[in-house]
């Protein structure tokens, strides 16, 4: 009997990086039965219940090993979260080496696929003579920017109002909308390391598709064909999480949505790690109340760091931080859910009219796949770039305006954008455009669709090793 091909996958730390890689693995083994996948997972914190739920419900041809936990005290306490992610992987390399040694002795191990902040895994892949691929949990826009970064004049970054032209995009991006920490720390080790990495791997797997980011994908391909330092790109998206492993009727928020009129509810969530300050949380609460629109709000405890929940779990009860009397005043208008909701079930529900989102790439793809218009409220990482893409390029979103004096989004502005997207012609036009993208997303993943074919070509290459 022919030996199955094994692909090892090393996600970057953080649930938002694990989920798309898991869904990619599921798609791979579902279409190609002669391949199986082993996840080798670096960790900084003990696995969350959400992570364990995902891992414990993997299909039989995908297994996992959680590598020994790294002590957070061994990392610089004030480092950017991207640096902490990279260092977590770096400290995990001895464990990764041992895991790959075991796999290579017992399987037909062909390739190592690792997350964009797991660059140090490349050294281990080379030691075992494996093909190496970096999986971008972001869009092609971020990849195109990273590839072009060495050619951008340093002087551009001295003024946040300056603009940068990125290959494949007709809209210039303001420096203030570039990913953290580039505007203030262009020489960030994680960013520079990522840029160098792209010339060393066998390919970059991008969770995007040609109807969404065709110009950027073509620009990267043209750069590579012209002999410039651009990687071979494999657009295989949109890969998003499927239904939760739990019965959706067990969730209070789904039961609540079932009782609401069609297209009447605003879903509010800042992803798996986004947090607001107490002042901003208050303004959002009052803005939702002021809008008079129904809402479902996934709430986290406030923090002065917008990414405080990204790598570590919060222990406080978020409901304790709401304005006095808010829950009582809005009990007929909305529902507040602490910390987490089954987002796929929510976005696919018929009562959802719009999504107030941080514009993380997973959430961006989920809104596109389910055809839900977006209110863009980016917080960190490449989310501001995604917000520009959604509002100015694809025109499927409205972006909130931050008050110049206070640095927060005021309640009147929040109520205004909610009404803009849920009432009138502007909201209808946005809805039509994102519905068309939803149809294109479905087509690209169907048999002989562009993303389906790209994945088939990649799988064939691995099986022929």
């Amino acid at each position: 009997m022919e030996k199955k091909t094994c692909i090892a996958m090393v996600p970057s730390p953080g649930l938002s990086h694990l989920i798309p890689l898991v869904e990619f693995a599921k798609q791979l083994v579902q279409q190609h039965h002669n391949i199986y996948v082993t996840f080798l997972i670096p960790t900084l914190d003990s696995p969350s219940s959400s992570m364990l739920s995902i891992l414990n419900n993997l299909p039989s041809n995908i297994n996992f090993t959680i590598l020994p936990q790294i002590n957070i005290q061994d990392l610089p306490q004030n480092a950017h979260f991207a640096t902490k992610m990279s260092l977590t992987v770096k400290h995990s390399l001895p464990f990764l080496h041992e895991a790959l040694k075991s796999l290579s002795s017992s399987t037909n191990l062909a390739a190592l696929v690792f997350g964009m902040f797991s660059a140090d895994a490349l050294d281990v892949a080379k030691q075992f003579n494996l093909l190496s691929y970096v999986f971008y949990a972001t869009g092609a826009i971020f990849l195109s920017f990273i590839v072009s970064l060495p050619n951008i004049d340093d002087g551009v970054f001295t003024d946040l109002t300056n603009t940068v032209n990125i290959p494949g995009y007709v809209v210039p991006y303001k420096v203030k909308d570039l990913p953290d920490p580039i505007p203030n720390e262009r020489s960030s080790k994680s960013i520079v390391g990522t840029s160098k990495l792209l010339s060393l791997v066998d390919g970059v797997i991008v969770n995007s598709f040609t109807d969404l980011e065709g110009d950027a994908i073509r620009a990267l391909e043209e750069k590579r064909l012209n002999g410039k330092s651009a990687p071979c790109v494999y657009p295989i998206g949109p890969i998003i999480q499927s239904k939760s492993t739990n019965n959706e009727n067990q969730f209070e928020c789904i039961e609540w949505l079932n009782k609401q009129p069609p297209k009447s509810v605003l879903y509010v969530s800042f992803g798996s790690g986004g947090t607001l300050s107490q002042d901003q949380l208050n303004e959002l609460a009052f803005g939702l109340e002021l809008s008079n629109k129904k809402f479902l709000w996934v709430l986290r405890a406030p923090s002065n760091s917008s990414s405080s929940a990204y790598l570590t779990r919060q222990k406080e009860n978020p409901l304790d931080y709401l304005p006095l009397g808010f829950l009582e005043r809005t009990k007929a208008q909305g529902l507040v859910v602490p910390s987490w909701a089954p987002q796929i079930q929510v976005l696919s529900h018929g009562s959802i009219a719009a999504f107030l989102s941080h514009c993380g790439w997973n959430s961006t793809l989920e809104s596109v796949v389910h055809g839900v218009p977006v209110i863009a409220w980016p917080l960190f990482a490449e989310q501001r770039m995604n917000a520009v893409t959604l509002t100015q390029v694809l025109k499927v979103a409205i972006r909130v305006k931050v008050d110049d004096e206070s640095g927060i989004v005021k309640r009147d502005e929040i109520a205004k954008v909610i009404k803009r997207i849920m009432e009138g012609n502007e909201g209808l036009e946005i809805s039509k455009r994102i519905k068309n993208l939803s149809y294109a997303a479905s087509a690209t993943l169907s048999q002989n669709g562009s993303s389906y074919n790209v994945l088939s070509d990649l799988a064939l290459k691995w099986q022929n090793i």
Side-chain angles (χ1 to χ4, degrees):
M1 185 175 176
E2 188 181 355
K3 210 174 185 181
K4 281 191 173 184
T5 297
C6 178
I7 308 298
M9 296 191 179
V10 182
S12 298
L15 199 60
S16 65
H17 287 270
L18 174 67
I19 288 172
L21 198 54
V22 164
E23 295 304 320
F24 167 65
K26 288 180 181 177
Q27 195 91 346
L28 176 65
V29 300
Q30 181 182 351
Q31 292 181 21
H32 303 277
H33 299 155
N34 207 36
I35 291 178
Y36 74 97
V37 172
T38 294
F39 275 90
L40 305 172
I41 305 171
T43 54
L44 183 61
D45 197 4
S46 56
S48 66
S49 57
S50 298
M51 176 188 284
L52 292 175
S53 176
I54 291 166
L55 295 174
N56 289 327
N57 286 279
L58 292 171
S60 59
N61 43 4
I62 303 177
N63 53 43
F64 69 93
T65 296
I66 297 177
L67 301 177
Q69 183 179 329
I70 302 304
N71 188 346
I72 194 170
Q73 300 303 321
D74 293 338
L75 307 184
Q77 295 307 297
N78 295 322
H80 189 270
F81 81 95
T83 302
K84 288 185 178 180
M85 292 165 70
S86 298
L87 288 174
T88 299
V89 177
K90 190 177 184 68
H91 283 56
S92 299
L93 289 183
F95 310 123
L96 178 60
H97 186 278
E98 286 304 306
L100 287 175
K101 183 178 178 181
S102 175
L103 274 177
S104 63
S105 65
S106 59
T107 69
N108 180 24
L109 184 60
L112 182 68
V113 179
F114 50 90
M116 55 189 286
F117 293 107
S118 301
D120 287 300
L122 176 63
D123 294 334
V124 186
K126 298 300 182 187
Q127 291 172 30
F128 290 93
N129 199 30
L130 302 174
L131 291 176
S132 56
Y133 297 81
V134 60
F135 182 91
Y136 258 59
T138 63
I141 173 60
F142 183 65
L143 175 58
S144 185
F145 171 67
I146 291 298
V147 169
S148 61
L149 183 58
N151 300 318
I152 299 175
D153 187 343
D154 281 356
V156 171
F157 299 93
T158 60
D159 187 342
L160 294 181
T161 62
N162 285 340
T163 59
V164 172
N165 291 310
I166 300 174
Y169 282 83
V170 294
V171 174
Y173 287 77
K174 291 181 180 178
V175 170
K176 67 179 181 181
D177 283 326
L178 296 179
D180 299 333
I182 289 166
N184 301 314
E185 191 187 340
R186 184 175 185 261
S187 60
S188 163
K189 288 183 180 179
S190 62
I191 297 296
V192 173
T194 300
S195 182
K196 291 179 179 177
L197 166 76
L198 297 175
S199 63
L200 302 174
V201 296
D202 294 289
V204 180
I205 301 165
V206 183
N207 193 6
S208 191
F209 59 106
T210 52
D211 286 279
L212 187 69
E213 296 189 289
D215 289 342
I217 292 167
R218 283 186 289 273
L220 286 163
E221 182 65 13
E222 287 171 8
K223 191 168 186 178
R224 185 182 68 85
L225 292 175
N226 290 332
K228 298 180 181 178
S229 57
C232 184
V233 177
Y234 297 90
I236 48 75
I239 302 293
I240 66 168
Q241 195 173 19
S242 55
K243 273 191 173 183
S244 167
T245 53
N246 298 313
N247 186 322
E248 66 180 47
N249 291 321
Q250 293 176 350
F251 297 115
E252 177 194 5
C253 61
I254 300 298
E255 293 179 356
W256 182 82
L257 286 174
N258 289 340
K259 299 172 184 175
Q260 309 310 315
K263 303 295 180 188
S264 65
V265 178
L266 174 71
Y267 174 54
V268 181
S269 175
F270 293 92
S272 59
T275 46
L276 305 177
S277 67
Q278 181 65 69
D279 287 345
Q280 184 61 85
L281 189 154
N282 291 342
E283 288 299 307
L284 176 53
F286 291 128
L288 290 170
E289 186 176 358
L290 192 61
S291 75
N292 288 319
K293 299 296 182 184
K294 290 183 174 292
F295 63 85
L296 170 61
W297 183 7
V298 181
L299 177 68
R300 279 201 182 81
S303 170
N304 289 328
S305 169
S306 61
S307 60
S308 67
Y310 196 77
L311 294 176
T312 56
R313 285 173 286 169
Q314 293 186 316
K315 296 180 174 63
E316 308 99 320
N317 180 3
L319 301 182
D320 293 341
Y321 295 90
L322 286 167
L324 188 64
F326 174 79
L327 290 176
E328 179 64 26
R329 292 194 306 273
T330 61
K331 63 183 179 182
Q333 181 185 354
L335 177 68
V336 182
V337 180
S339 302
W340 184 87
Q343 184 157 296
I344 294 298
Q345 288 94 313
V346 171
L347 289 175
S348 62
H349 199 283
S351 69
I352 295 296
F355 180 14
L356 193 160
S357 170
H358 66 308
C359 301
W361 193 245
N362 289 339
S363 291
T364 295
L365 289 179
E366 287 162 4
S367 63
V368 165
V369 168
H370 294 288
V372 179
V374 175
I375 294 174
W377 189 325
L379 298 178
F380 59 91
E382 89 295 354
Q383 294 164 12
R384 292 183 294 273
M385 290 184 83
N386 297 339
V388 173
T389 301
L390 288 169
T391 54
Q392 297 184 42
V393 180
L394 299 172
K395 302 186 187 304
V396 294
I398 298 172
R399 186 170 178 175
V400 296
K401 292 180 180 177
V402 178
D403 180 72
D404 290 334
E405 291 185 13
S406 64
I408 64 176
V409 184
K410 295 286 193 174
R411 65 190 72 178
D412 289 341
E413 165 69 7
I414 294 166
K416 183 174 76 173
V417 295
I418 292 172
K419 290 178 179 178
R420 280 176 62 191
I421 207 157
M422 295 180 71
E423 297 176 355
N425 291 332
E426 185 180 17
L428 285 175
E429 289 302 314
I430 287 173
S431 182
K432 287 177 185 176
R433 282 191 287 268
I434 202 163
K435 280 294 182 187
N436 288 334
L437 276 179
S438 175
Y439 300 143
S442 178
T444 198
L445 291 175
S446 61
Q447 194 161 3
N448 292 323
S450 62
S451 292
Y452 181 97
N453 289 338
V454 168
L455 180 57
S456 295
D457 291 343
L458 188 57
L460 183 63
K461 183 172 184 176
W462 288 342
Q463 290 177 84
N464 287 336
I465 297 299

